Amino acid sequence: MRDSDEDLDPELVPDLESRLHDGDHQALRLWLRLLACTTRIEDQIRQRLRNDFGTTLPRFDLLAQLERSPDGLTMRELSQRLMVTGGNVTGITDQLEAEGLVVREPHPSDRRSVTVRLTPAGRRQFKRMAATHEGWIVELLAGWSPEEKTQVYALLAGLKGHLAQLDAARR
């Protein structure tokens, strides 16, 4: 694993992290490194979804939520899980419904609500995309050995636990 990006072409590292100096706080440098890596991976996934499937990351994410919930989800639940506004979910759902990938059904106990479910075609399409997506993630993280991946995973689990404690303390 490389400690710095000095050997990379500066044009390939035009992110916020590249503005930092050795004197900047270590936590800030780490935060921006995490953000830069996350952004680069997400950009790759967005581009590949567009090129290989003619779709977007928000559409993929919505299908993924529905795939995990075979009984469907309400628009409100989708909005909460995707952390976007109801209007965003409605627009994406409209597109996916027009393509026959999802269906809206009346909610069984709330007349004001609808449940969104994957259609069989939506389930098949998502399974193809998910299998390909998994391969992309494996490829994008292939710069780490299995041991390094295990170590980073454990370190991030510790950070996640710390952040959960901070959240609980502020409530």
Side-chain angles (χ1 to χ4, degrees):
M1 187 163 54
R2 197 171 24 245
D3 232 9
S4 73
D5 291 324
E6 292 174 13
D7 53 331
L8 292 178
D9 181 338
E11 293 297 316
L12 298 176
V13 191
D15 50 37
L16 290 175
E17 183 188 6
S18 64
R19 296 187 213 164
L20 290 175
H21 305 287
D22 289 340
D24 289 326
H25 198 283
Q26 182 184 29
L28 179 60
R29 290 189 351 247
L30 178 58
W31 158 244
L32 290 174
R33 171 76 44 103
L34 287 168
L35 185 58
C37 289
T38 300
T39 299
R40 285 172 180 248
I41 291 169
E42 188 174 298
D43 288 348
Q44 281 288 316
I45 298 302
R46 286 179 188 279
Q47 181 182 3
R48 292 174 185 206
L49 282 169
R50 187 174 39 257
N51 292 344
D52 292 11
F53 295 102
T55 196
T56 64
L57 186 55
R59 288 165 51 107
F60 177 84
D61 289 343
L62 190 143
L63 292 172
Q65 290 300 320
L66 293 175
E67 200 276 331
R68 291 182 193 112
S69 302
D71 293 334
L73 295 168
T74 65
M75 298 293 275
R76 183 169 187 247
E77 289 169 328
L78 280 167
S79 179
Q80 289 171 338
R81 290 183 184 199
L82 296 170
M83 295 183 281
V84 297
T85 66
N88 288 349
V89 170
T90 298
I92 294 168
T93 302
D94 289 347
Q95 295 169 2
L96 295 171
E97 187 175 37
E99 294 171 26
L101 301 177
V102 303
V103 63
R104 288 179 172 107
E105 299 171 344
H107 191 276
S109 62
D110 183 355
R111 293 182 328 160
R112 300 167 296 160
S113 198
V114 296
T115 300
V116 181
R117 297 179 205 275
L118 285 176
T119 63
R123 192 166 306 284
R124 285 190 303 274
Q125 175 67 1
F126 178 75
K127 284 184 180 191
R128 281 192 299 273
M129 288 191 297
T132 302
H133 176 270
E134 182 177 347
W136 295 336
I137 298 299
V138 168
E139 175 193 348
L140 293 169
L141 297 180
W144 281 333
S145 70
E147 296 79 18
E148 288 171 325
K149 288 176 195 158
T150 299
Q151 184 179 20
V152 171
Y153 188 79
L155 290 169
L156 291 174
L159 176 60
K160 187 176 177 183
H162 171 71
L163 295 172
Q165 288 176 344
L166 290 176
D167 284 346
R170 292 188 178 171
R171 288 183 187 167

